[in-house]
Amino acid sequence: SWLKPPTPKITNKTKQNKTKKAQAARGASARSRAEPSRRLFARARAMDPGQLAQLEGYCNALYNAKSEAERAQAHSTLLPLVGNPQCMPQLQFVLAHTSNPHALIFSAHGLLKLITSHWTSVSDNQKEEMRNFLFDYLAKNGPDLYRSAPMGVSPVVRLLCRVIKLAWLEGPQYQNVTERVGQFLQSSPLHWVLGLEIYTDLTTDMQPSIGPSMSRFRRTALSFRDTALPTIFTIGIKTLHEVSTGAINIPDKNDERRLLKQVLQLACNSLSFDFMGTIPDETSDEQSTVMVPHSWNMLREDGIQKVFFDLFSRSCNYQWSECAQLCLQCLVLLAALRRSFFQKEEDRTKLLASMMQGTTGILASKMGLQDHGCYHDLCRLLGKINATHQLNELCASEQFQVWIEQVYSFTMDSLRHWEVMPNSKHYLLGFWAAMVSPVILLQDKAPKALESYIQQITLAYVESRLFMAEASANPSNTPDWDDPLTDEVLRAEQLEVLSNLGRCRYQDTAQYIMKHFEEVSRLGQQRAVPQAVFENKMTWIVYMMGALVGGHASAKANRADTDCAPTHVVNGELAGRIFRLVNLTDQQDVCSEGLELAYLYFLEQFRKVYIGEHAKQVVQQQVSERLATVLGLEDENAVLGLLINKIGKNMQQRYGCESVVKKTLALFHELAAGINIVHTSDRSPHLIVSGRLLLKNDMVKYILSNHASPQFGFLGFGLHYGKYRTMYYHTLGKLLFMDIRDSKDAFEKFMEPQSHILNTLWQQSCQGPQLLRQESCKGPLIGLCRDLRGIGLACTSCEPYAMLFDWLVDNPKNPAGSRVTLFSRALDVWWDDPEVTTPLLKFMSEFVYNKAQRITFDQSSPNGILLFREASTILVTYGTRILQRTQFRDLYVEKYKGIGITLDMFSHALHGNYTNFGVFELYSDSSLSKSMALALQMCLAIPLQELNAYLKALKPYYYFLELATRGHMPKVMELEPHMLTTLLQSVEEGLLCFESGVTMQCCATVDNVISYFHSQMHSKSQNRTTAEQERVRRFLNEAPQCLQKILHLMFQLVMTGEFSSTWSISRPLLGLVLLHEQYFMQLKEQLVGSQIEERRAKLRGYFDDLMSGVENNLSTKNKDHFTRNLYNFAQVVRTLS
């Protein structure tokens, strides 16, 4: 019975016909006003002791079940409580009355979920009472909970913090958090810890994050940063000083550890707060620069770093590893303080000296380094010190010599024990890699030992990779470290470090790696090592050779080793060994995926240096031995041939490895697309078009002639290889059009395999579209769409596109009889299968896209209209059905992805500039009106929350709205006012988006709407009101607050400096001010009133200057004048804060 939600009694005296939900909400609100003295939690729906005990039993079973069946039953029973907002009173009652820790955790988690999802349905009284209850509950029960059930404290604290966060912007009464928590800090040690935990969780929860209500939470975070965070951080630092100096004496060491951990976590959270509201990438634990406000003077005080080093030492002595790690994490953040924070350079120099002295002490004593967390954070700290200071600044410190020796010894020792915390060593290696460029640049001015240190570390690193290769090849070994050979991101990081380290003494490092190459080759031929060990070691060596060649491309010319052999000779020796090994392994049927990927990595680095953007050696005449000579080849075309042959072999033989196919096609595309201007020794420019070089190659000629041959097995390997078909035909299309130019016969010949498939499917569709709904048709249809999209991507000018258009629209005088209609017929029967719809819609989106003005038809040609009508048919066919569907297994794949691509296609058709849209209405053709209405319905079918969640796929939503409001406002105004309001609410949310393209489109959309409204309201009709004018007036009467909210938001963005383009936001803002002049005056008074007394007159003057000289019209001249005023307003208004 306690699971049944309560039915609220309605006490409102109203006769309006509202929904039951609205009546319940009003009833609750009325009761709360009528009973101000009764507390929310006392009013919560009561349970008798038996019901409460029953719920506590289920909670025990949920968190501590004896069997899976028991847990499943408890889960199914309790789940309704956390999914229904009407169950909040039950959870509140449990929280207030239970003594069971599991029931406490469950009720706190449930309430957290419910108030986050349904905050808008919570009344103001409920918010205030919930907040007060949680503060009182923690003050009364918190210390006892810490002693008896410490795991029950955090959920209640998190619930309180979430209530504070959600209510923060709703009034100053919700922002007095420091006053309430201050009472905890003046009580017992456990109350102190509890107060600090509230602050710690609050600073964590206040961090803005990507997701629903992102823009609102970002504004909350910035307000919290300016009001409460400085006080909170000051309390944290003051407490740390008192603990460090012994001013706080806590007899119980366990309580002291708990307090120290909490205050350190608070300091760490405060320093790592997202001060700029940029929402950085959460996948990285690195914050490049800590942008603390200039007013945080406590960080400039002498000895702030010493406090953390002293606390680190103290924590290590007591073996409080968590506290020691937090000390180092805080030091990492202090090392990353922005340079402009320090008013004097000597303050920054003191910080560096203190950091060097402290880390030198830790490295010399090895204090705490047996703990993996401390070891990792020390590596981060060393890397951060180096990253935030230039080499000459480091060298200027008295501590430098001792410090650099300690770091070198620590690094070498770490590389000898490579298997211990291998990922942490990335920071150490990055430390030395970052020193290579300044050492090369400074030459003799750099410390003498540095170059030797870097070289020794490079060689030790190479050795450690080979040891790692051998260990990872052992099947009985179960390492607790990630193998870079199977982790592409980790591998890329390590190879980038090696490519930088190798630039210091390039030839010596290359010779060292080649020596290992010869040794591993010899052992492999003699079968002296297991095959797995040979493959792993050789894979690493090939990767390292590639990293050297690629790093050398960006090396400085004035290196210390220029008297050695020319680098192109060294690179030739490296490449020669790789190509010989490739020939050997290509003769084997079985391949090593890792080794094949290593080959492709080397070839990509080789391409960058010799064929791509750094391709100076291709035309370098002044060297006695050219690269081709070193490789034993005739000329550079033969060098290119080695790469192409490997690409061809992979597509024919290695298609079983998806990663190999992907990398191979990417390399092929780069070679085909490369165009570079390279200067020879006599400074004459040479245009290197690597695509033209490819056309001379026999393998490329063979591929172009037999592109659909079964030899290229990846084409038919499976539907999941479809995206590779697109890339393959994109590359071939580039080469084809480069070769044949506008030869239709050559194009027809190339397209014969696709023609065969197209004709077969077309004939089946003519007999009956349902015949296409067969599995035998599915694969060829998807393949055809993928192939044609690739060809379409390669059509970058008029001639290639015209050939593709004529090939598809083969009967323009009878559009219904053209082969292009196959796609709308196929969509009609396959609309519910995203495996078909996604590639089909993507092809059509590309086909109607007029990029680089490639679609140009004769003046007398109907082709533009035919093209738009086909796009319209596709949209109506798909949109009609997808809007009727209600059940989805995967909402993104089956619905939103398709809608996003469809809107993208329709936007391309609307913006193509090849269709006269007036023709449709003139000749009573409903194509435009139907497709426009349906596209708007598709936009309305996307809830705002889902729009934010799937923004990447749904960006075309905003592009379409801009185009629709720009040229088709009469069609948009046919929507009901509440529908238009929904669209404008999404535009309001889009103004706060981090995608600059989206924000610009939202500004343009608002400008389009306002300009249309203005023109209709000021149009001089002949004593009659048109339908368009009536719709505008109806909307403004029924939903005036919609545009007013946008006006308010735009002024907030301008005054806080959070919008990047003043010009873009000024255009709609002027229209909004003129449309809602009275509201603008109210807003001005509200903003002026929110300032302190001495700033009000200034801000009022700024507003007067903003509207100075602005007329009541939207002419370009008036808009430009307002833009200049707004720019000046934005500049001066920020000086107030």
Side-chain angles (χ1 to χ4, degrees):
S1 62
W2 46 268
L3 278 178
K4 185 179 179 183
T7 304
K9 184 180 178 182
I10 300 168
T11 59
N12 300 52
K13 295 181 179 180
T14 177
K15 296 181 180 179
Q16 294 182 357
N17 185 17
K18 299 287 185 179
T19 61
K20 289 183 180 179
K21 186 176 179 182
Q23 290 172 339
R26 285 199 308 276
S29 177
R31 285 199 312 276
S32 66
R33 287 195 298 272
E35 306 167 340
S37 61
R38 296 178 63 186
R39 300 190 63 78
L40 164 74
F41 281 70
R43 243 186 12 247
R45 187 167 189 252
M47 299 180 186
D48 61 41
Q51 291 173 331
L52 182 61
Q54 185 186 8
L55 185 140
E56 289 173 345
Y58 280 123
C59 291
N60 283 333
L62 183 68
Y63 292 105
N64 198 19
K66 295 176 183 177
S67 67
E68 276 304 314
E70 188 181 1
R71 178 178 281 109
Q73 184 187 356
H75 181 266
S76 62
T77 306
L78 294 173
L79 190 62
L81 274 175
V82 296
N84 188 343
Q86 294 186 14
C87 292
M88 267 195 222
Q90 284 96 320
L91 293 173
Q92 292 164 353
F93 181 87
V94 174
L95 184 65
H97 294 89
T98 187
S99 57
N100 182 292
H102 292 133
L104 181 70
I105 293 170
F106 172 77
S107 58
H109 277 310
L111 280 170
L112 180 76
K113 181 180 176 184
L114 286 173
I115 65 165
T116 303
S117 303
H118 305 280
W119 182 251
T120 52
S121 61
V122 181
S123 71
D124 290 344
N125 270 15
Q126 285 177 309
K127 293 171 187 176
E128 182 65 26
E129 289 169 345
M130 192 184 299
R131 180 171 169 272
N132 290 337
F133 169 82
L134 291 169
F135 269 122
D136 295 344
Y137 180 87
L138 287 170
K140 181 181 177 182
N141 302 315
D144 292 337
L145 273 175
Y146 265 134
R147 295 187 187 96
S148 61
M151 72 281 196
V153 177
S154 291
V156 181
V157 170
R158 277 197 293 274
L159 176 60
L160 170 62
C161 293
R162 183 59 54 85
V163 171
I164 294 170
K165 174 184 176 178
L166 292 171
W168 189 269
L169 293 178
E170 296 178 15
Q173 71 272 23
Y174 295 109
Q175 298 177 9
N176 63 344
V177 61
T178 51
E179 296 173 21
R180 297 298 301 265
V181 180
Q183 298 167 11
F184 286 78
L185 303 181
Q186 296 167 6
S187 192
S188 69
L190 283 178
H191 277 99
W192 200 349
V193 173
L194 193 55
L196 292 171
E197 183 168 351
I198 293 171
Y199 278 154
T200 306
D201 273 22
L202 189 59
T203 51
T204 302
D205 204 24
M206 281 288 185
Q207 289 271 29
S209 59
I210 292 174
S213 304
M214 177 178 72
S215 53
R216 184 171 183 274
F217 290 153
R218 184 165 176 260
R219 294 205 299 274
T220 301
L222 295 177
S223 171
F224 175 76
R225 173 200 68 186
D226 297 334
T227 53
L229 188 59
T231 306
I232 291 172
F233 183 63
T234 303
I235 290 168
I237 291 296
K238 183 182 175 184
T239 308
L240 283 175
H241 272 292
E242 291 174 349
V243 172
S244 177
T245 56
I248 295 177
N249 183 21
I250 301 176
D252 188 336
K253 286 297 173 190
N254 197 37
D255 285 351
E256 183 183 349
R257 177 194 61 78
R258 188 180 280 154
L259 173 66
L260 181 58
K261 178 189 170 188
Q262 203 64 62
V263 73
L264 284 168
Q265 186 66 64
L266 174 60
C268 189
N269 284 7
S270 300
L271 286 169
S272 59
F273 194 80
D274 183 9
F275 295 101
M276 305 301 288
T278 53
I279 311 185
D281 182 11
E282 293 180 355
T283 59
S284 170
D285 61 354
E286 286 306 287
Q287 193 171 352
S288 56
T289 307
V290 175
M291 303 296 290
V292 293
H294 205 69
S295 58
W296 286 27
N297 294 318
M298 72 288 287
L299 293 178
R300 297 190 187 90
E301 295 174 4
D302 290 341
I304 187 75
Q305 300 82 27
K306 189 174 183 301
V307 169
F308 287 103
F309 280 116
D310 290 346
L311 290 172
F312 173 78
S313 174
R314 181 175 183 165
S315 300
C316 290
N317 290 336
Y318 287 120
Q319 296 185 345
W320 295 343
S321 60
E322 288 179 328
C323 296
Q325 290 170 32
L326 286 167
C327 288
L328 292 175
Q329 288 168 22
C330 290
L331 286 164
V332 171
L333 293 164
L334 288 175
L337 287 175
R338 59 189 172 95
R339 184 182 286 264
S340 58
F341 176 74
F342 298 95
Q343 295 168 325
K344 302 176 185 175
E345 193 58 35
E346 50 264 34
D347 291 342
R348 195 163 177 273
T349 307
K350 284 180 186 175
L351 170 68
L352 175 60
S354 178
M355 289 286 184
M356 281 187 167
Q357 186 176 356
T359 49
T360 302
I362 295 172
L363 290 169
S365 64
K366 294 187 168 41
M367 182 188 299
L369 297 186
Q370 67 278 6
D371 179 78
H372 287 179
C374 290
Y375 175 89
H376 175 77
D377 287 318
L378 180 64
C379 292
R380 285 180 60 211
L381 178 56
L382 293 171
K384 185 57 71 178
I385 292 171
N386 185 47
T388 52
H389 295 85
Q390 297 175 4
L391 181 58
N392 55 357
E393 292 174 327
L394 296 172
C395 294
S397 174
E398 296 175 4
Q399 304 278 333
F400 178 74
Q401 195 57 45
V402 179
W403 180 70
I404 201 71
E405 287 175 5
Q406 289 290 347
V407 176
Y408 168 70
S409 301
F410 178 59
T411 307
M412 290 297 287
D413 191 51
S414 296
L415 289 173
R416 280 190 285 272
H417 301 91
W418 59 267
E419 70 283 357
V420 179
M421 299 290 288
N423 294 349
S424 303
K425 295 176 179 60
H426 174 74
Y427 298 103
L428 288 179
L429 293 163
F431 175 99
W432 295 101
M435 289 202 170
V436 173
S437 288
V439 165
I440 292 172
L441 191 65
L442 294 172
Q443 296 186 16
D444 296 337
K445 295 179 184 176
K448 303 293 181 207
L450 270 183
E451 190 174 322
S452 174
Y453 285 168
I454 292 170
Q455 182 61 10
Q456 292 304 313
I457 286 165
T458 306
L459 301 185
Y461 184 55
V462 170
E463 287 282 355
S464 71
R465 299 309 91 184
L466 296 177
F467 283 129
M468 179 183 282
E470 188 167 352
S472 63
N474 186 351
S476 62
N477 189 15
T478 53
D480 56 355
W481 38 267
D482 296 324
D483 185 3
L485 291 183
T486 58
D487 186 330
E488 187 174 353
V489 175
L490 187 61
R491 183 173 68 241
E493 288 176 350
Q494 298 193 4
L495 293 174
E496 184 183 359
V497 165
L498 180 62
S499 71
N500 280 321
L501 290 171
R503 291 166 50 220
C504 190
R505 291 185 181 174
Y506 185 74
Q507 284 83 348
D508 293 348
T509 307
Q511 292 297 335
Y512 185 76
I513 292 178
M514 282 191 279
K515 184 186 78 174
H516 277 292
F517 180 92
E518 299 297 346
E519 182 184 347
V520 172
S521 296
R522 179 178 57 78
L523 292 172
Q525 288 170 358
Q526 295 172 356
R527 306 282 183 184
V529 292
Q531 182 67 16
V533 173
F534 167 77
E535 286 180 359
N536 274 16
K537 281 193 169 185
M538 195 55 80
T539 300
W540 260 117
I541 290 170
V542 174
Y543 272 125
M544 289 190 287
M545 286 178 165
L548 279 188
V549 173
H552 164 258
S554 57
K556 301 282 184 184
N558 53 345
R559 295 183 312 280
D561 53 9
T562 48
D563 55 332
C564 301
T567 51
H568 78 278
V569 173
V570 176
N571 288 345
E573 292 178 4
L574 290 169
R577 286 168 168 77
I578 299 291
F579 287 131
R580 285 195 291 276
L581 185 63
V582 166
N583 286 335
L584 282 172
T585 53
D586 275 352
Q587 293 168 15
Q588 301 170 3
D589 294 332
V590 180
C591 73
S592 162
E593 183 176 356
L595 193 53
E596 291 293 337
L597 289 173
Y599 291 154
L600 290 166
Y601 174 80
F602 179 86
L603 295 178
E604 174 59 20
Q605 302 307 311
F606 187 81
R607 178 199 69 80
K608 286 179 182 176
V609 179
Y610 291 100
I611 299 156
E613 55 197 300
H614 305 289
K616 290 182 180 161
Q617 280 81 359
V618 173
V619 290
Q620 198 170 27
Q621 303 294 329
Q622 71 271 29
V623 294
S624 56
E625 289 184 286
R626 300 176 70 189
L627 178 75
T629 312
V630 178
L631 290 170
L633 301 169
E634 291 181 13
D635 56 21
E636 277 67 34
N637 288 342
V639 176
L640 185 60
L642 293 173
L643 275 71
I644 299 300
N645 288 337
K646 178 58 183 165
I647 288 169
K649 288 276 175 59
N650 281 0
M651 289 194 291
Q652 291 173 336
Q653 299 175 1
R654 307 302 189 208
Y655 55 82
C657 302
E658 184 175 353
S659 54
V660 173
V661 171
K662 180 180 178 181
K663 299 278 187 186
T664 300
L665 289 169
L667 176 60
F668 190 25
H669 184 77
E670 288 292 333
L671 285 169
I675 298 178
N676 304 280
I677 296 177
V678 180
H679 292 268
T680 58
S681 55
D682 63 355
R683 298 192 178 278
S684 60
H686 283 241
L687 186 67
I688 304 297
V689 183
S690 52
R692 296 210 182 281
L693 298 177
L694 258 62
L695 289 169
K696 300 176 185 177
N697 184 270
D698 290 337
M699 175 62 82
V700 171
K701 291 177 183 175
Y702 179 80
I703 294 172
L704 284 170
S705 302
N706 302 275
H707 56 88
S709 168
Q711 280 182 292
F712 301 109
F714 78 95
L715 291 171
F717 195 68
L719 291 179
H720 64 290
Y721 269 36
K723 55 193 168 190
Y724 305 124
R725 293 183 71 130
T726 300
M727 190 187 297
Y728 175 65
Y729 276 99
H730 185 190
T731 306
L732 292 186
K734 275 186 172 294
L735 293 171
L736 174 73
F737 296 132
M738 202 182 292
D739 187 27
I740 67 170
R741 298 200 177 263
D742 57 353
S743 170
K744 285 195 174 184
D745 292 340
F747 181 74
E748 294 277 354
K749 188 173 188 317
F750 178 84
M751 296 295 287
E752 279 176 2
Q754 279 72 26
S755 286
H756 176 70
I757 295 170
L758 182 59
N759 289 333
T760 304
L761 294 172
W762 166 251
Q763 286 162 10
Q764 281 192 295
S765 72
C766 289
Q767 294 171 19
Q770 282 302 323
L771 292 174
L772 292 173
R773 185 80 197 217
Q774 301 177 51
E775 281 302 312
S776 59
C777 295
K778 183 178 179 180
L781 177 62
I782 294 171
L784 179 66
C785 293
R786 299 279 194 187
D787 298 351
L788 292 180
R789 180 167 175 248
I791 298 291
L793 287 166
C795 295
T796 53
S797 61
C798 307
E799 293 84 0
Y801 183 85
M803 289 191 286
L804 179 62
F805 184 88
D806 292 341
W807 183 81
L808 270 173
V809 186
D810 57 336
N811 191 357
K813 292 185 178 179
N814 178 19
S818 287
R819 297 191 297 188
V820 74
T821 56
L822 164 70
F823 302 104
S824 56
R825 295 179 185 183
L827 195 59
D828 195 28
V829 294
W830 285 103
W831 67 271
D832 59 338
D833 188 342
E835 285 187 336
V836 177
T837 58
T838 299
L840 192 153
L841 291 169
K842 279 187 173 181
F843 160 63
M844 285 305 299
S845 178
E846 179 60 34
F847 188 54
V848 300
Y849 185 19
N850 191 10
K851 60 183 177 187
Q853 298 301 305
R854 64 181 181 174
I855 306 179
T856 52
F857 299 121
D858 293 337
Q859 287 184 343
S860 59
S861 169
N863 287 345
I865 292 172
L866 296 183
L867 190 57
F868 178 82
R869 288 184 64 177
E870 196 54 39
S872 172
T873 305
I874 291 281
L875 183 141
V876 172
T877 302
Y878 180 73
T880 305
R881 287 162 176 76
I882 204 69
L883 291 177
Q884 291 170 351
R885 185 175 176 183
T886 55
Q887 299 296 319
F888 298 93
R889 290 188 302 276
D890 185 328
L891 201 60
Y892 168 69
V893 172
E894 296 180 353
K895 182 178 182 183
Y896 294 133
K897 190 174 183 180
I899 288 177
I901 301 168
T902 307
L903 289 174
D904 195 41
M905 175 198 71
F906 194 53
S907 299
H908 288 159
L910 286 174
H911 195 49
N913 203 28
Y914 46 73
T915 310
N916 183 342
F917 292 114
V919 169
F920 293 101
E921 194 167 350
L922 186 63
Y923 292 102
S924 304
D925 186 327
S926 61
S927 300
L928 176 62
S929 56
K930 273 186 182 177
S931 50
M932 181 64 70
L934 199 58
L936 288 167
Q937 290 302 320
M938 290 168 83
C939 290
L940 289 165
I942 306 169
L944 187 57
Q945 189 172 348
E946 305 289 351
L947 182 63
N948 289 328
Y950 301 114
L951 182 61
K952 185 179 177 183
L954 293 171
K955 275 186 199 174
Y957 175 100
Y958 290 105
Y959 183 37
F960 165 70
L961 283 186
E962 183 200 342
L963 294 173
T965 54
R966 186 196 303 176
H968 307 276
M969 266 305 289
K971 295 276 189 294
V972 176
M973 288 307 298
E974 290 175 7
L975 292 172
E976 288 295 312
H978 72 274
M979 294 179 176
L980 184 55
T981 300
T982 302
L983 293 179
L984 288 172
Q985 283 173 346
S986 68
V987 170
E988 180 189 354
E989 192 74 19
L991 286 167
L992 293 152
C993 179
F994 281 88
E995 295 280 350
S996 60
V998 170
T999 56
M1000 299 299 125
Q1001 286 162 358
C1002 289
C1003 283
T1005 301
V1006 177
D1007 189 28
N1008 296 336
V1009 172
I1010 294 299
S1011 298
Y1012 177 80
F1013 284 7
H1014 197 273
S1015 67
Q1016 290 299 321
M1017 292 173 69
H1018 292 81
S1019 91
K1020 297 177 181 178
S1021 305
Q1022 296 178 351
N1023 299 323
R1024 61 186 179 84
T1025 303
T1026 63
E1028 287 87 353
Q1029 290 173 326
E1030 189 56 45
R1031 290 190 190 109
V1032 170
R1033 286 173 185 168
R1034 181 187 171 199
F1035 174 77
L1036 291 174
N1037 288 333
E1038 292 189 20
Q1041 73 287 353
C1042 177
L1043 292 172
Q1044 290 171 3
K1045 285 172 68 179
I1046 295 177
L1047 173 61
H1048 191 170
L1049 174 61
M1050 283 185 169
F1051 265 108
Q1052 281 186 320
L1053 293 173
V1054 170
M1055 293 178 71
T1056 55
E1058 292 179 43
F1059 202 85
S1060 57
S1061 173
T1062 305
W1063 187 93
S1064 297
I1065 204 169
S1066 71
R1067 315 315 265 190
L1069 192 54
L1070 173 60
L1072 287 167
V1073 168
L1074 297 179
L1075 186 67
H1076 291 292
E1077 197 168 348
Q1078 189 175 356
Y1079 178 77
F1080 169 65
M1081 300 304 292
Q1082 294 172 3
L1083 177 62
K1084 180 175 79 170
E1085 291 304 317
Q1086 180 186 335
L1087 293 171
V1088 169
S1090 67
Q1091 297 290 324
I1092 58 175
E1093 188 64 41
E1094 56 265 29
R1095 293 178 184 167
R1096 290 178 184 173
K1098 280 186 180 180
L1099 184 57
R1100 198 183 302 279
Y1102 296 156
F1103 270 109
D1104 292 342
D1105 293 341
L1106 173 65
M1107 300 309 294
S1108 174
V1110 176
E1111 300 172 0
N1112 189 14
N1113 64 65
L1114 293 181
S1115 66
T1116 304
K1117 180 182 176 182
N1118 198 37
K1119 282 186 174 182
D1120 290 344
H1121 180 77
F1122 181 76
T1123 299
R1124 286 191 293 272
N1125 286 1
L1126 186 68
Y1127 178 80
N1128 294 329
F1129 174 82
Q1131 296 297 313
V1132 295
V1133 80
R1134 285 172 218 157
T1135 61
L1136 289 174
S1137 55

